[in-house]
Amino acid sequence: MPLTEDKEVETVPFKKVRFDPPAHAVGGVEVTTLKRIRERMCPLERDAIQMPDFHLLLRVESGRIRHMVDFRSYDLAPYDVLWVRAGQVQRWGSLEDIEGTAILFVDHTLGSDVTATLRDITARSGNLWAGAARPGTAISAAINQVCHFQGSGPAPTQSVDGLLAAYVLRSLVLGLVASGPGADPPPGDALFERFRNAVDENFTRYHRIQEYADLLGYSSKTLTRLVNQYTGTSPKEFIDDRVVLEARRLLVHDDRPVAGVAFALGFDDPANFSRFFRRRTGQSPAEFRLSARPAAVVV
């Protein structure tokens, strides 16, 4: 029997993954391998949707898998670089089928300016840099340099190594940003970035185009032309997509009931939220939660 809107889903909690580097890591940076990541995780964790509170930069060295980031699937192959930002949700593919290097680090390691730039680039163009780490490239060399600082000295040098690792990591990220799609935004992009940032900051309060037009001091017609130019969609679709993304995140990693998710996203009536979510995704919130959480049961 299909789920109805008033049913809730009871699940085992899904772990938010915390940054917990080993003692030999330097600064806020840990370099590891996919083999070590496999050894850390139990089978249930491998299949779970995770929300790391740190950044994960992955260089694929052999094998192929499909990796999900914020409900978008990426097919990973050798020399690809995948970036999962802190706060995004992810689900691993078959970890036994892939080997590579993983760099884990906390938000402040890069600085707020680089973190904001990375957020904008990945929001526009996705989390994958296909083939960016081929041998001999600057990206591959920068990753190797970061790896060099992992446990490269005794305790008295850790602070120095941490600063050097953070510096090289920052250079690596700027190199990825410069080489990736959308690196050279067209003239007039500043207004679109203001709109994007306004949506990121206010999507739980404002769901209508006119509210953002008033906030930014432009007409709704101007915003409609602008957003269509850069995304091919309407401002309403752009806003709704951001609300749906956050709804999916909450339904997967937060144990509050659907009504609580609705209120957290600014809906005054859970039924309105359920209709909105079904219209945008083809599933009710309860159906999505059940499909995303294999261990769930309906109550």
Side-chain angles (χ1 to χ4, degrees), residues 17 20 25 45 48 82 86 96 122 144 147 176-177 179 184 214 216 223 234 286 288:
V17 186
D20 185 23
E45 287 178 311
L82 182 76
E96 290 77 9
T122 53
N144 291 338
C147 294
L176 285 171
V177 169
S179 66
D184 298 308
D214 293 342
L216 296 173
L223 281 187
S234 70
F288 171 77

Side-chain angles (χ1 to χ4, degrees), residues 53-293:
D53 70 351
F54 53 86
H55 295 270
L56 167 67
L57 188 151
L58 172 66
R59 175 177 63 183
V60 182
E61 291 159 9
S62 66
R64 296 173 183 271
I65 65 169
R66 176 164 291 184
H67 192 104
M68 185 274 285
V69 182
D70 268 345
F71 310 100
R72 177 177 176 180
S73 293
Y74 296 94
D75 292 313
L76 306 185
Y79 312 126
D80 287 351
V81 175
L82 182 76
W83 193 290
V84 183
R85 300 194 319 272
Q88 291 190 298
V89 294
Q90 67 164 351
R91 173 180 273 165
W92 293 95
S94 178
L95 273 171
E96 290 77 9
D97 296 337
I98 194 170
E99 298 295 345
T101 299
I103 303 174
L104 288 56
F105 56 95
V106 291
D107 207 39
H108 65 75
T109 305
L110 294 180
S112 58
D113 57 336
V114 178
T115 302
T117 300
L118 177 69
R119 181 201 64 191
D120 292 341
I121 292 296
T122 53
R124 181 189 297 121
S125 306
N127 295 68
L128 178 66
W129 282 260
R134 293 185 181 281
T137 63
I139 298 300
S140 182
I143 292 174
N144 291 338
Q145 280 186 294
V146 176
C147 294
H148 167 75
F149 292 108
Q150 179 70 71
S152 59
T157 68
Q158 288 294 292
S159 60
V160 176
D161 288 344
L163 289 173
L164 290 171
Y167 175 79
V168 175
L169 186 59
R170 182 181 171 93
S171 299
L172 166 61
V173 174
L174 290 173
L176 285 171
V177 169
S179 66
D184 298 308
D189 196 59
L191 177 55
F192 177 69
E193 294 304 327
R194 285 183 61 202
F195 171 73
R196 185 203 302 278
N197 291 337
V199 173
D200 269 345
E201 293 170 5
N202 298 283
F203 70 88
T204 60
R205 295 192 298 157
Y206 302 146
H207 296 166
R208 297 188 297 112
I209 303 169
Q210 190 59 53
E211 290 170 317
Y212 288 96
D214 293 342
L215 185 66
L216 296 173
Y218 289 86
S219 70
S220 58
K221 288 184 179 179
T222 297
L223 281 187
T224 298
R225 286 195 303 268
L226 178 79
V227 176
N228 183 261
Q229 176 185 353
Y230 290 109
T231 69
T233 64
S234 70
K236 178 59 175 170
E237 288 177 291
F238 188 94
I239 297 163
D240 285 355
D241 285 346
R242 183 65 183 87
V243 175
V244 167
L245 172 59
E246 198 67 20
R248 284 171 163 161
R249 288 174 174 175
L250 291 174
L251 288 166
V252 167
H253 75 77
D254 196 300
D255 286 326
R256 75 186 79 184
V258 169
V261 173
F263 295 139
L265 294 173
F267 290 84
D268 56 6
D269 183 347
N272 288 339
F273 167 66
S274 293
R275 284 192 291 270
F276 163 83
F277 191 86
R278 182 183 286 279
R279 186 171 65 250
R280 294 290 300 177
T281 69
Q283 294 179 297
S284 73
E287 288 170 336
F288 171 77
R289 177 173 270 174
L290 180 61
S291 67
R293 291 182 165 193

Side-chain angles (χ1 to χ4, degrees), residues 20-42:
D20 185 23
H24 63 272
V26 292
V29 182
E30 177 191 354
V31 178
T32 187
T33 65
L34 284 173
K35 178 181 178 181
R36 293 192 189 114
I37 289 177
R38 285 197 299 269
E39 291 169 350
R40 290 183 190 180
M41 293 193 298
C42 70

